[in-house]
Amino acid sequence: MDDELSAAAADDSMGWDDPFLPTCESVDEYAELVRALRAVQEAVTRSRPTPAVAAAAGACLSEIATAMREFEVDEDRQTAGKRWDLAGRGHALAPPLHLDEITASSARGRVTVGRFHSGRYAMNGGVTPLIFDEILARLANHGRPWARTAHLAVDFRAPAPLHTELTVTGCFVRQEGRKRFMRGALHHGDLLLAEADGLWIELKPGQTHNISDGQEGAGR
């Protein structure tokens, strides 16, 4: 019972206010759930199962999805995306970005992806903007009113290898009114893999409402 009360208190304390601190890998049940889900994603991607094995695995995953529905909450109360201590914030889809160094105007982290994020022998081109959006958005919003991504341009300089630790950096360039200009870079050692220039726009009052309200569970 004490463990349940502690977990409930922790869930109630989670919000969208990002403390933007270096990643501190926690060992708890939810962190293990995300680790296991990432392992499943990687295993399915890397496999060529027989129809029988695919059917059995699909049935198991469907059972898990059904069991989880008992614990569904609204987006403001969910855990995923708000476990700021975990790489990837507790989102299994996002590449597990580990934040190491953070200042008021810069951030540095590292990321390793497997075949789940592959684009034929190298990181899929669509994953790189996702990594940049993660670190630049968190830096853009750190200690500032909420802003959303308005523009993100990525220049690819070299293929990004899989199963290899890559370094990603973010820099707060300047602010002009509601506009926040950001810059990022992805490296493998000294080799520049990609660069990004981004623009975040500070939201006006009334723009922070849930634009997806009423669509939850549609078509499920």
Side-chain angles (χ1 to χ4, degrees):
M1 178 64 76
D2 289 341
D3 289 342
E4 292 178 1
L5 291 174
S6 297
D11 287 343
D12 289 341
S13 67
M14 281 190 244
W16 294 114
D17 292 332
D18 184 358
F20 202 44
L21 299 171
T23 304
C24 178
E25 290 299 338
S26 299
V27 180
D28 57 64
E29 292 81 0
Y30 186 81
E32 285 301 303
L33 172 62
V34 175
R35 182 202 60 76
L37 183 52
R38 286 198 177 111
V40 168
Q41 292 174 165
E42 185 72 7
V44 171
T45 302
R46 297 170 70 90
S47 68
R48 188 175 179 177
T50 64
V53 170
C60 289
L61 293 176
S62 293
E63 288 182 10
I64 294 172
T66 299
M68 285 294 179
R69 284 177 189 158
E70 179 183 349
F71 304 94
E72 284 190 6
V73 295
D74 60 39
E75 190 169 353
D76 287 331
R77 295 177 57 213
Q78 73 182 34
T79 304
K82 293 186 287 184
R83 278 297 301 269
W84 307 106
D85 55 316
L86 300 178
R89 295 180 290 118
H91 259 312
L93 172 65
L97 175 62
H98 298 255
L99 294 170
D100 295 317
E101 301 175 12
I102 296 168
T103 71
S105 59
S106 65
R108 179 184 178 90
R110 51 198 163 83
V111 62
T112 302
V113 301
R115 211 186 296 172
F116 177 69
H117 291 111
S118 174
R120 192 175 184 184
Y121 312 135
M123 186 189 299
N124 188 290
V127 177
T128 306
L130 184 60
I131 294 172
F132 280 132
D133 191 63
E134 171 71 7
I135 193 168
L136 295 180
R138 294 185 68 177
L139 180 59
N141 284 293
H142 183 44
R144 305 172 179 93
W146 190 13
R148 284 193 180 275
T149 312
H151 176 75
L152 184 61
V154 177
D155 291 317
F156 297 89
R157 305 302 185 189
L162 305 173
H163 317 296
T164 305
E165 188 171 271
L166 309 176
T167 301
V168 58
T169 56
C171 177
F172 192 108
V173 178
R174 69 186 187 279
Q175 178 149 356
E176 297 177 1
R178 293 168 50 225
K179 297 180 180 179
R180 301 172 193 167
F181 295 88
M182 313 295 296
R183 184 166 296 149
L186 182 70
H187 284 83
H188 175 208
D190 294 330
L191 177 64
L192 177 64
L193 303 175
E195 296 177 288
D197 285 292
L199 170 64
W200 271 254
I201 302 293
E202 183 177 320
L203 299 182
K204 297 178 180 179
Q207 289 184 323
T208 60
H209 65 283
N210 182 0
I211 64 172
S212 303
D213 190 32
Q215 302 302 314
E216 190 75 23
R220 189 178 65 190

Coordinates of all heavy atoms in Angstrom, one line a residue, residues 130-211:
L130 N 13.9 14.6 -35.4 CA 13.3 14.2 -34.2 C 14.3 14.5 -33.0 O 13.9 15.0 -32.0 CB 12.8 12.8 -34.2 CG 12.0 12.3 -33.0 CD1 10.7 13.1 -32.8 CD2 11.7 10.8 -33.2
I131 N 15.5 14.1 -33.2 CA 16.5 14.3 -32.2 C 16.8 15.8 -32.0 O 16.8 16.3 -30.8 CB 17.8 13.6 -32.5 CG1 17.6 12.0 -32.5 CG2 19.0 13.9 -31.6 CD1 18.8 11.3 -33.1
F132 N 16.9 16.5 -33.1 CA 17.1 17.9 -33.0 C 15.9 18.6 -32.3 O 16.1 19.5 -31.5 CB 17.4 18.6 -34.3 CG 18.8 18.4 -34.9 CD1 19.0 17.9 -36.2 CD2 19.9 18.7 -34.1 CE1 20.3 17.8 -36.6 CE2 21.2 18.5 -34.5 CZ 21.4 18.1 -35.8
D133 N 14.7 18.2 -32.7 CA 13.5 18.9 -32.1 C 13.5 18.7 -30.6 O 13.1 19.5 -29.8 CB 12.3 18.3 -32.8 CG 11.1 19.2 -32.4 OD1 11.0 20.3 -32.8 OD2 10.1 18.6 -31.8
E134 N 13.9 17.5 -30.1 CA 13.9 17.2 -28.7 C 14.8 18.1 -27.9 O 14.4 18.8 -27.0 CB 14.3 15.7 -28.5 CG 14.5 15.3 -27.0 CD 13.2 15.3 -26.2 OE1 12.1 15.4 -26.8 OE2 13.3 15.1 -25.0
I135 N 16.1 18.2 -28.3 CA 17.1 19.0 -27.6 C 16.8 20.5 -27.7 O 16.9 21.2 -26.8 CB 18.5 18.6 -27.9 CG1 19.5 19.2 -26.9 CG2 18.9 19.0 -29.3 CD1 20.9 18.6 -27.0
L136 N 16.5 20.9 -29.0 CA 16.3 22.3 -29.2 C 15.0 22.9 -28.6 O 15.0 24.0 -28.1 CB 16.3 22.6 -30.7 CG 17.7 22.3 -31.4 CD1 17.6 22.7 -32.9 CD2 18.8 23.1 -30.8
A137 N 14.0 22.1 -28.6 CA 12.7 22.5 -28.0 C 12.9 22.6 -26.5 O 12.4 23.6 -25.9 CB 11.6 21.6 -28.4
R138 N 13.5 21.7 -25.9 CA 13.7 21.7 -24.4 C 14.6 23.0 -24.1 O 14.3 23.6 -23.1 CB 14.3 20.4 -23.9 CG 13.4 19.3 -24.1 CD 13.9 18.0 -23.5 NE 13.9 18.1 -22.0 CZ 14.3 17.1 -21.2 NH1 14.7 16.0 -21.7 NH2 14.3 17.3 -19.9
L139 N 15.6 23.2 -24.9 CA 16.4 24.4 -24.6 C 15.7 25.7 -24.8 O 15.8 26.6 -24.1 CB 17.7 24.3 -25.4 CG 18.7 25.5 -25.3 CD1 19.2 25.6 -23.8 CD2 19.9 25.3 -26.2
A140 N 14.9 25.7 -25.9 CA 14.1 26.9 -26.3 C 13.1 27.3 -25.2 O 12.9 28.5 -24.9 CB 13.4 26.7 -27.6
N141 N 12.6 26.3 -24.5 CA 11.5 26.5 -23.5 C 12.1 26.5 -22.1 O 11.3 26.8 -21.1 CB 10.5 25.4 -23.6 CG 9.6 25.6 -24.8 OD1 8.8 26.6 -24.8 ND2 9.6 24.7 -25.8
H142 N 13.4 26.3 -21.9 CA 13.9 26.3 -20.6 C 13.9 27.6 -19.9 O 14.5 28.6 -20.3 CB 15.4 25.8 -20.7 CG 16.1 25.7 -19.3 ND1 15.4 25.1 -18.3 CD2 17.3 26.1 -18.9 CE1 16.3 25.1 -17.2 NE2 17.4 25.7 -17.6
G143 N 13.0 27.7 -18.8 CA 12.9 29.0 -18.1 C 12.2 30.1 -18.8 O 12.3 31.2 -18.4
R144 N 11.5 29.7 -19.9 CA 10.8 30.7 -20.7 C 9.3 30.3 -20.9 O 9.0 29.1 -20.8 CB 11.5 30.9 -22.0 CG 13.0 31.2 -21.9 CD 13.7 31.1 -23.3 NE 15.1 31.5 -23.2 CZ 16.1 30.6 -23.0 NH1 15.8 29.3 -22.9 NH2 17.3 31.0 -22.9
P145 N 8.5 31.2 -21.3 CA 7.1 30.9 -21.6 C 7.1 29.8 -22.8 O 8.0 29.8 -23.6 CB 6.5 32.2 -22.1 CG 7.3 33.2 -21.4 CD 8.7 32.7 -21.3
W146 N 6.0 29.0 -22.8 CA 5.9 27.9 -23.7 C 6.0 28.4 -25.2 O 5.3 29.4 -25.6 CB 4.6 27.2 -23.4 CG 4.5 25.9 -24.2 CD1 5.4 25.2 -24.8 CD2 3.3 25.1 -24.3 NE1 4.9 24.0 -25.4 CE2 3.6 24.0 -25.1 CE3 2.0 25.3 -23.9 CZ2 2.6 23.0 -25.4 CZ3 1.0 24.4 -24.2 CH2 1.4 23.2 -24.9
A147 N 6.8 27.8 -26.0 CA 6.9 28.0 -27.4 C 6.8 26.7 -28.2 O 7.1 25.6 -27.6 CB 8.2 28.7 -27.7
R148 N 6.3 26.8 -29.4 CA 6.2 25.6 -30.3 C 7.2 25.8 -31.5 O 7.5 26.9 -31.9 CB 4.8 25.4 -30.7 CG 3.9 24.8 -29.7 CD 2.6 24.3 -30.3 NE 1.7 23.7 -29.3 CZ 1.7 22.4 -28.9 NH1 2.6 21.6 -29.4 NH2 0.8 22.0 -28.1
T149 N 7.5 24.6 -32.0 CA 8.4 24.6 -33.2 C 7.6 25.2 -34.4 O 6.5 24.8 -34.7 CB 8.7 23.1 -33.6 OG1 9.2 22.4 -32.4 CG2 9.8 23.1 -34.7
A150 N 8.2 26.2 -35.0 CA 7.6 26.8 -36.2 C 8.4 26.5 -37.5 O 7.8 26.4 -38.5 CB 7.6 28.4 -36.0
H151 N 9.7 26.2 -37.3 CA 10.5 25.9 -38.5 C 11.7 25.1 -38.0 O 12.3 25.4 -37.0 CB 11.0 27.1 -39.2 CG 11.9 26.9 -40.3 ND1 11.5 26.4 -41.5 CD2 13.3 27.1 -40.5 CE1 12.5 26.3 -42.4 NE2 13.6 26.7 -41.7
L152 N 12.1 24.0 -38.7 CA 13.3 23.2 -38.4 C 13.9 22.7 -39.7 O 13.3 21.9 -40.4 CB 12.9 22.0 -37.5 CG 14.1 21.2 -37.0 CD1 15.0 22.0 -36.1 CD2 13.6 20.0 -36.2
A153 N 15.0 23.3 -40.0 CA 15.7 22.9 -41.3 C 16.9 22.1 -40.9 O 17.8 22.5 -40.1 CB 16.1 24.2 -42.0
V154 N 17.1 20.9 -41.5 CA 18.2 20.0 -41.3 C 19.0 19.8 -42.5 O 18.5 19.5 -43.6 CB 17.7 18.7 -40.7 CG1 18.9 17.7 -40.5 CG2 16.9 18.9 -39.4
D155 N 20.3 20.0 -42.4 CA 21.2 19.7 -43.5 C 22.0 18.5 -43.1 O 22.7 18.4 -42.1 CB 22.2 20.9 -43.7 CG 21.5 22.1 -44.3 OD1 20.7 21.9 -45.2 OD2 21.8 23.2 -43.8
F156 N 22.0 17.5 -44.0 CA 22.6 16.2 -43.7 C 24.0 16.2 -44.4 O 24.1 16.5 -45.6 CB 21.8 15.0 -44.3 CG 20.5 14.9 -43.6 CD1 19.4 15.6 -44.1 CD2 20.3 14.1 -42.5 CE1 18.1 15.4 -43.5 CE2 19.1 14.0 -41.8 CZ 18.0 14.6 -42.3
R157 N 25.1 16.0 -43.6 CA 26.4 16.1 -44.1 C 27.1 14.7 -44.3 O 27.9 14.6 -45.2 CB 27.3 16.9 -43.1 CG 26.8 18.2 -42.7 CD 26.6 19.1 -44.0 NE 26.2 20.5 -43.6 CZ 25.9 21.4 -44.5 NH1 25.9 21.1 -45.8 NH2 25.5 22.6 -44.2
A158 N 26.6 13.7 -43.5 CA 27.2 12.3 -43.7 C 26.2 11.3 -43.0 O 25.4 11.7 -42.2 CB 28.5 12.2 -43.0
P159 N 26.2 10.1 -43.5 CA 25.3 9.1 -42.9 C 25.6 8.9 -41.4 O 26.8 8.9 -41.0 CB 25.6 7.8 -43.7 CG 26.2 8.3 -45.0 CD 26.9 9.5 -44.7
A160 N 24.6 8.7 -40.6 CA 24.8 8.5 -39.2 C 24.7 7.1 -38.9 O 23.7 6.4 -39.1 CB 23.7 9.3 -38.4
P161 N 25.8 6.5 -38.3 CA 25.8 5.0 -38.1 C 24.9 4.6 -36.9 O 24.6 5.4 -36.0 CB 27.3 4.8 -37.7 CG 27.8 6.1 -37.1 CD 27.0 7.1 -37.9
L162 N 24.4 3.4 -37.0 CA 23.6 2.7 -36.0 C 24.5 2.1 -34.9 O 25.7 1.9 -35.2 CB 22.8 1.6 -36.6 CG 21.8 2.0 -37.8 CD1 21.2 0.8 -38.4 CD2 20.8 3.0 -37.3
H163 N 24.0 1.8 -33.8 CA 24.7 1.1 -32.7 C 25.9 1.8 -32.3 O 26.9 1.2 -31.8 CB 25.0 -0.3 -33.1 CG 23.9 -1.0 -33.8 ND1 22.7 -1.3 -33.2 CD2 23.8 -1.5 -35.1 CE1 21.9 -1.9 -34.1 NE2 22.5 -2.0 -35.3
T164 N 25.9 3.1 -32.5 CA 27.1 3.9 -32.2 C 26.7 5.2 -31.4 O 25.7 5.8 -31.8 CB 27.8 4.3 -33.5 OG1 28.1 3.2 -34.3 CG2 29.1 5.1 -33.2
E165 N 27.5 5.5 -30.4 CA 27.1 6.8 -29.7 C 27.5 8.0 -30.5 O 28.6 8.2 -30.9 CB 27.9 6.8 -28.3 CG 27.4 7.9 -27.4 CD 28.0 7.8 -26.0 OE1 27.4 7.1 -25.2 OE2 29.1 8.4 -25.8
L166 N 26.4 8.8 -30.6 CA 26.6 10.1 -31.4 C 26.4 11.3 -30.4 O 25.7 11.1 -29.4 CB 25.5 10.2 -32.5 CG 25.4 9.0 -33.4 CD1 24.3 9.2 -34.4 CD2 26.8 8.7 -34.1
T167 N 27.0 12.4 -30.7 CA 26.9 13.6 -29.9 C 26.0 14.6 -30.5 O 26.1 14.9 -31.7 CB 28.3 14.2 -29.6 OG1 29.2 13.2 -29.0 CG2 28.2 15.4 -28.7
V168 N 25.1 15.1 -29.8 CA 24.2 16.2 -30.3 C 24.3 17.4 -29.4 O 24.3 17.3 -28.1 CB 22.7 15.6 -30.3 CG1 22.2 15.2 -29.0 CG2 21.8 16.7 -30.9
T169 N 24.4 18.6 -30.0 CA 24.5 19.8 -29.3 C 23.4 20.8 -29.7 O 22.9 20.7 -30.9 CB 25.8 20.5 -29.5 OG1 26.1 20.7 -30.9 CG2 27.0 19.6 -28.9
G170 N 23.0 21.6 -28.8 CA 22.0 22.7 -29.1 C 22.5 24.0 -28.6 O 23.1 24.1 -27.6
C171 N 22.1 25.1 -29.3 CA 22.5 26.4 -28.9 C 21.4 27.4 -29.1 O 20.7 27.4 -30.1 CB 23.7 26.8 -29.8 SG 24.3 28.5 -29.5
F172 N 21.1 28.2 -28.1 CA 20.1 29.3 -28.1 C 20.8 30.5 -28.8 O 21.7 31.1 -28.2 CB 19.6 29.6 -26.7 CG 18.4 30.5 -26.7 CD1 17.2 30.0 -26.4 CD2 18.5 31.8 -27.1 CE1 16.0 30.8 -26.4 CE2 17.4 32.7 -27.1 CZ 16.2 32.1 -26.7
V173 N 20.5 30.8 -30.0 CA 21.2 31.8 -30.8 C 20.7 33.2 -30.4 O 21.5 34.1 -30.0 CB 21.0 31.6 -32.3 CG1 21.7 32.7 -33.1 CG2 21.5 30.2 -32.7
R174 N 19.4 33.5 -30.4 CA 18.9 34.8 -30.1 C 17.4 34.8 -30.0 O 16.7 33.8 -30.4 CB 19.3 35.8 -31.1 CG 18.7 35.7 -32.4 CD 19.2 36.7 -33.5 NE 18.5 36.7 -34.7 CZ 18.7 35.8 -35.7 NH1 19.6 34.9 -35.5 NH2 18.0 35.9 -36.8
Q175 N 16.8 35.8 -29.4 CA 15.4 36.0 -29.3 C 15.0 37.3 -29.9 O 15.6 38.4 -29.6 CB 14.9 35.9 -27.9 CG 13.3 36.1 -27.8 CD 12.7 35.3 -26.7 OE1 13.3 34.5 -26.0 NE2 11.4 35.5 -26.5
E176 N 14.0 37.3 -30.7 CA 13.5 38.6 -31.3 C 12.0 38.6 -31.1 O 11.2 37.9 -31.8 CB 13.8 38.6 -32.8 CG 15.3 38.7 -33.1 CD 15.5 38.7 -34.6 OE1 14.5 38.7 -35.4 OE2 16.7 38.7 -35.0
G177 N 11.5 39.3 -30.1 CA 10.1 39.3 -29.8 C 9.7 38.0 -29.3 O 10.3 37.4 -28.4
R178 N 8.7 37.4 -30.0 CA 8.3 36.0 -29.6 C 9.1 34.9 -30.4 O 8.8 33.8 -30.1 CB 6.8 35.9 -30.0 CG 5.8 36.7 -29.1 CD 4.4 36.8 -29.7 NE 3.9 35.5 -30.0 CZ 3.3 35.2 -31.1 NH1 3.1 36.1 -32.1 NH2 2.8 33.9 -31.3
K179 N 10.0 35.3 -31.2 CA 10.8 34.3 -32.0 C 12.1 33.9 -31.2 O 12.8 34.8 -30.7 CB 11.2 34.9 -33.3 CG 10.0 35.3 -34.2 CD 10.4 35.9 -35.5 CE 9.3 36.2 -36.4 NZ 9.7 36.8 -37.7
R180 N 12.3 32.6 -31.2 CA 13.5 32.1 -30.6 C 14.3 31.3 -31.6 O 13.7 30.3 -32.1 CB 13.2 31.2 -29.4 CG 12.4 32.0 -28.3 CD 11.9 31.0 -27.2 NE 11.0 31.7 -26.3 CZ 10.2 31.2 -25.5 NH1 10.3 29.8 -25.3 NH2 9.3 31.9 -24.7
F181 N 15.5 31.7 -31.9 CA 16.3 31.1 -33.0 C 17.3 30.1 -32.3 O 18.0 30.5 -31.4 CB 17.0 32.1 -33.8 CG 16.1 33.0 -34.6 CD1 15.6 34.2 -34.0 CD2 15.7 32.7 -35.9 CE1 14.7 35.0 -34.7 CE2 14.9 33.5 -36.6 CZ 14.4 34.7 -36.0
M182 N 17.3 28.9 -32.9 CA 18.1 27.8 -32.3 C 19.0 27.2 -33.3 O 18.7 27.3 -34.6 CB 17.2 26.7 -31.7 CG 16.0 27.2 -30.8 SD 16.6 28.0 -29.3 CE 17.4 26.6 -28.5
R183 N 20.1 26.5 -32.9 CA 21.0 25.9 -33.8 C 21.4 24.6 -33.2 O 21.7 24.5 -31.9 CB 22.1 26.7 -34.2 CG 23.1 26.2 -35.2 CD 24.0 27.3 -35.7 NE 23.3 28.3 -36.4 CZ 23.7 29.6 -36.4 NH1 24.7 30.0 -35.8 NH2 22.9 30.4 -37.1
G184 N 21.6 23.5 -34.0 CA 22.0 22.2 -33.4 C 23.0 21.6 -34.4 O 23.1 21.9 -35.5
A185 N 23.7 20.6 -33.8 CA 24.7 19.8 -34.6 C 24.7 18.4 -34.1 O 24.6 18.1 -32.9 CB 26.1 20.4 -34.6
L186 N 25.0 17.4 -35.0 CA 25.1 16.0 -34.6 C 26.4 15.5 -35.1 O 26.8 15.7 -36.3 CB 23.9 15.2 -35.3 CG 23.9 13.7 -35.0 CD1 23.5 13.5 -33.5 CD2 22.9 13.0 -35.9
H187 N 27.2 14.9 -34.3 CA 28.6 14.5 -34.6 C 28.8 13.0 -34.3 O 28.2 12.5 -33.3 CB 29.6 15.3 -33.9 CG 29.9 16.6 -34.4 ND1 29.1 17.7 -34.0 CD2 30.8 17.1 -35.2 CE1 29.5 18.8 -34.6 NE2 30.6 18.5 -35.3
H188 N 29.6 12.3 -35.0 CA 30.2 11.0 -34.7 C 31.7 11.3 -34.5 O 32.4 11.4 -35.5 CB 29.9 10.0 -35.8 CG 30.6 8.7 -35.5 ND1 31.0 7.8 -36.5 CD2 30.9 8.1 -34.3 CE1 31.5 6.8 -36.0 NE2 31.5 6.9 -34.7
G189 N 32.1 11.5 -33.3 CA 33.5 11.9 -33.0 C 33.7 13.3 -33.6 O 32.9 14.2 -33.3
D190 N 34.6 13.5 -34.4 CA 34.9 14.8 -35.1 C 34.1 14.9 -36.4 O 34.2 16.0 -37.0 CB 36.4 14.9 -35.3 CG 37.2 15.0 -34.1 OD1 36.7 15.5 -33.0 OD2 38.4 14.6 -34.1
L191 N 33.4 13.9 -36.8 CA 32.7 14.0 -38.1 C 31.4 14.6 -37.9 O 30.5 14.1 -37.2 CB 32.6 12.6 -38.7 CG 31.8 12.5 -40.0 CD1 32.5 13.2 -41.1 CD2 31.6 11.0 -40.4
L192 N 31.1 15.7 -38.7 CA 29.8 16.3 -38.6 C 28.8 15.5 -39.5 O 29.0 15.3 -40.7 CB 29.9 17.7 -39.2 CG 28.6 18.5 -39.3 CD1 28.0 18.8 -37.9 CD2 28.8 19.9 -40.0
L193 N 27.7 15.1 -38.8 CA 26.7 14.3 -39.5 C 25.6 15.1 -40.0 O 25.0 14.9 -41.1 CB 26.2 13.2 -38.6 CG 27.2 12.2 -38.0 CD1 26.6 11.3 -37.0 CD2 27.9 11.5 -39.1
A194 N 25.2 16.1 -39.2 CA 24.0 16.9 -39.6 C 24.0 18.2 -38.8 O 24.6 18.3 -37.7 CB 22.7 16.2 -39.3
E195 N 23.4 19.3 -39.4 CA 23.3 20.6 -38.7 C 21.8 21.0 -38.8 O 21.1 20.6 -39.7 CB 24.1 21.6 -39.4 CG 25.6 21.4 -39.3 CD 26.4 22.5 -40.1 OE1 26.3 22.4 -41.3 OE2 27.0 23.3 -39.4
A196 N 21.4 21.8 -37.9 CA 20.0 22.2 -37.8 C 19.8 23.7 -37.5 O 20.6 24.1 -36.6 CB 19.1 21.3 -36.9
D197 N 18.9 24.4 -38.1 CA 18.5 25.7 -37.7 C 17.0 25.7 -37.4 O 16.3 25.2 -38.3 CB 18.9 26.7 -38.8 CG 20.3 27.0 -38.9 OD1 20.8 27.6 -37.9 OD2 21.0 26.6 -39.9
G198 N 16.6 26.2 -36.3 CA 15.2 26.1 -35.9 C 14.7 27.4 -35.4 O 15.4 28.3 -35.0
L199 N 13.4 27.5 -35.5 CA 12.7 28.7 -35.0 C 11.5 28.2 -34.1 O 10.7 27.4 -34.5 CB 12.1 29.6 -36.2 CG 11.1 30.7 -35.8 CD1 11.8 31.7 -34.9 CD2 10.6 31.3 -37.1
W200 N 11.5 28.8 -32.9 CA 10.4 28.5 -32.0 C 9.6 29.8 -31.7 O 10.2 30.8 -31.6 CB 10.9 27.9 -30.7 CG 11.0 26.4 -30.7 CD1 10.2 25.5 -30.1 CD2 12.0 25.6 -31.4 NE1 10.6 24.2 -30.3 CE2 11.7 24.3 -31.2 CE3 13.1 26.0 -32.2 CZ2 12.5 23.2 -31.7 CZ3 13.8 24.9 -32.7 CH2 13.5 23.6 -32.5
I201 N 8.3 29.7 -31.7 CA 7.4 30.9 -31.5 C 6.7 30.8 -30.2 O 6.0 29.8 -29.9 CB 6.4 31.0 -32.6 CG1 7.1 31.1 -34.0 CG2 5.5 32.2 -32.4 CD1 7.9 32.4 -34.2
E202 N 6.9 31.8 -29.4 CA 6.2 31.9 -28.1 C 4.7 32.0 -28.3 O 4.3 32.8 -29.1 CB 6.8 33.0 -27.3 CG 6.2 33.2 -25.9 CD 6.8 34.3 -25.1 OE1 8.1 34.5 -25.2 OE2 6.1 35.0 -24.4
L203 N 4.0 31.2 -27.6 CA 2.5 31.1 -27.8 C 1.9 32.3 -27.2 O 2.3 32.9 -26.1 CB 1.9 29.9 -27.2 CG 2.4 28.5 -27.8 CD1 1.7 27.4 -27.2 CD2 2.2 28.5 -29.3
K204 N 0.8 32.8 -27.8 CA 0.0 33.9 -27.3 C -1.0 33.3 -26.2 O -1.3 32.1 -26.2 CB -0.8 34.6 -28.4 CG 0.0 35.3 -29.4 CD -0.9 35.9 -30.5 CE -0.1 36.6 -31.6 NZ -1.0 37.1 -32.6
P205 N -1.5 34.1 -25.3 CA -2.6 33.6 -24.4 C -3.7 33.0 -25.2 O -4.2 33.6 -26.2 CB -3.0 34.9 -23.7 CG -1.8 35.8 -23.7 CD -1.2 35.5 -25.1
G206 N -4.2 31.9 -24.8 CA -5.3 31.2 -25.5 C -4.8 30.2 -26.5 O -5.6 29.5 -27.1
Q207 N -3.5 30.2 -26.9 CA -3.0 29.3 -27.9 C -2.5 28.0 -27.2 O -2.0 27.1 -27.9 CB -1.9 29.9 -28.7 CG -2.3 30.9 -29.7 CD -1.2 31.5 -30.5 OE1 0.0 31.6 -30.0 NE2 -1.5 31.7 -31.8
T208 N -2.5 27.9 -25.9 CA -2.0 26.7 -25.2 C -3.1 25.7 -24.9 O -2.9 24.7 -24.2 CB -1.4 27.2 -23.8 OG1 -2.4 27.8 -23.0 CG2 -0.3 28.1 -24.0
H209 N -4.3 25.9 -25.5 CA -5.4 24.9 -25.3 C -5.1 23.6 -26.0 O -4.3 23.6 -26.9 CB -6.7 25.5 -25.7 CG -6.8 25.8 -27.2 ND1 -6.2 26.9 -27.8 CD2 -7.4 25.1 -28.2 CE1 -6.5 26.8 -29.1 NE2 -7.2 25.7 -29.3
N210 N -5.8 22.6 -25.6 CA -5.7 21.3 -26.2 C -6.4 21.2 -27.6 O -7.7 21.1 -27.6 CB -6.2 20.2 -25.3 CG -6.1 18.8 -25.8 OD1 -5.6 18.6 -26.9 ND2 -6.5 17.8 -25.0
I211 N -5.7 21.3 -28.7 CA -6.4 21.3 -30.0 C -6.9 20.0 -30.4 O -7.6 19.8 -31.4 CB -5.4 21.9 -31.1 CG1 -4.2 20.9 -31.3 CG2 -5.0 23.3 -30.8 CD1 -3.3 21.3 -32.4

